[in-house]
Amino acid sequence: MTTQKLIVGNWKMNGSLSFLKENLSYWQTQKIFHQIVICPPFPLLPFAKEHLNSPFISLGAQDCHNKVSGAFTGDISASILYEVGCQYVLIGHSERRQYHNETNELIKEKGETAIANHLIPIICIGENLQEREQGKTLSILSNQVTTSIPSKGSNFCVAYEPVWAIGTGKTASLNDITKAHSALRQQLGQNIKLLYGGSVTIDNYLEILSLDNVDGVLIGGASLKKDDFSRMICNEPANSTR
Ligand code: 13P
């Protein structure tokens, strides 16, 4: 039984070099309990790598291309992310699916390319509000898992992020999270880390982390609140069965 969880901060297109510096120097003074991944915007990654010296904090990118290299202006390859110090990469976040038309098929390729280049992809899945209201949550998740997780390699995580809960202040209920994660556990097996994301805050993260089959959380807005995030990464949650 372990209570150490994976806490991932997705800064999205936020933060700055000075915000990164401020956080890094603060975290180095703290006793961190969990395993942390921070995903700042791409240009901040090399600086973060150079100045990080905590065994508890790793770096993640917010996306990578499905091809190893090539004429893809503006895109980022998994191999360069690895070279500049990333260990993780978010793949298929709902904002990529929505604003960049990413399909399950593309997401699957990206995950496989990430694994082939020594990164651990965190594959994001989740139903939208209409699907939820139609009672389709579990079938949508099952389909997304079948079609978007890598078929080559098993070193990846899956993040359940209900689209309607992202940045809205509406968190899925503990019961909803339990049901979704239990179905994902059955489909994916014991070895895949399952994260929950969607309006996770300083007020609800301990309850969420205490649920069965929740191995961590993926945090957007609250990862940009220095004091809140710092408290979250240092606190030990109540015992859980995983
Ligand atoms: P919020 O925590 O702001 O809802 O964002 C969740 C998210 O999208 C993390 O990837």
Side-chain angles (χ1 to χ4, degrees), residues 131-194:
E131 292 160 343
R132 170 186 158 81
E133 285 171 348
Q134 291 171 347
K136 292 183 180 164
T137 299
L138 295 186
S139 63
I140 293 287
L141 295 183
S142 169
N143 180 259
Q144 287 179 335
V145 166
T146 308
T147 53
S148 65
I149 64 162
S151 53
K152 297 172 204 150
S154 58
N155 199 11
F156 62 89
C157 308
V158 169
Y160 169 47
E161 293 207 299
V163 178
W164 51 270
I166 295 177
T168 58
K170 293 182 195 155
T171 319
S173 70
L174 298 181
N175 195 28
D176 285 345
I177 300 173
T178 300
K179 276 192 201 155
H181 279 238
S182 150
L184 291 171
R185 176 68 66 216
Q186 278 191 356
Q187 193 173 359
L188 287 160
Q190 292 299 316
N191 295 330
I192 303 297
K193 282 202 164 94
L194 300 177

Side-chain angles (χ1 to χ4, degrees), residues 7-162:
I7 298 190
V8 184
N10 175 12
W11 289 13
K12 309 191 179 185
M13 201 174 70
N14 297 300
S16 62
L17 189 53
S18 58
F19 180 73
L20 177 66
K21 284 182 188 167
E22 201 186 316
N23 276 281
L24 288 177
S25 52
Y26 184 67
W27 293 334
Q28 322 279 10
T29 67
Q30 299 297 301
K31 192 165 178 284
I32 294 174
F33 179 79
H34 296 285
Q35 220 188 313
I36 313 305
V37 181
I38 53 159
C39 305
F42 292 125
L44 301 183
L45 289 166
F47 181 91
K49 174 66 185 168
E50 202 181 323
H51 293 86
L52 253 179
N53 62 9
S54 166
F56 296 100
I57 305 179
S58 309
L59 285 178
Q62 297 176 18
D63 181 43
C64 71
H65 200 276
N66 55 316
K67 300 279 189 256
V68 176
S69 61
F72 302 106
T73 303
D75 284 317
I76 308 282
S77 73
S79 61
I80 292 177
L81 292 173
Y82 179 69
E83 196 182 353
V84 300
C86 288
Q87 287 179 27
Y88 291 82
V89 60
L90 301 177
I91 300 285
H93 190 280
S94 72
E95 287 145 18
R96 301 292 311 175
R97 292 174 186 260
Q98 183 179 354
Y99 303 128
H100 297 266
N101 302 318
E102 295 199 0
T103 61
N104 287 320
E105 191 184 29
L106 177 72
I107 290 159
K108 179 175 177 162
E109 282 180 24
K110 287 186 174 202
E112 288 170 358
T113 304
I115 290 174
N117 286 279
H118 320 293
L119 297 175
I120 302 173
I122 299 174
I123 315 290
C124 303
I125 59 173
E127 83 286 2
N128 64 31
L129 187 58
Q130 191 186 19
E131 292 160 343
R132 170 186 158 81
E133 285 171 348
Q134 291 171 347
K136 292 183 180 164
T137 299
L138 295 186
S139 63
I140 293 287
L141 295 183
S142 169
N143 180 259
Q144 287 179 335
V145 166
T146 308
T147 53
S148 65
I149 64 162
S151 53
K152 297 172 204 150
S154 58
N155 199 11
F156 62 89
C157 308
V158 169
Y160 169 47
E161 293 207 299

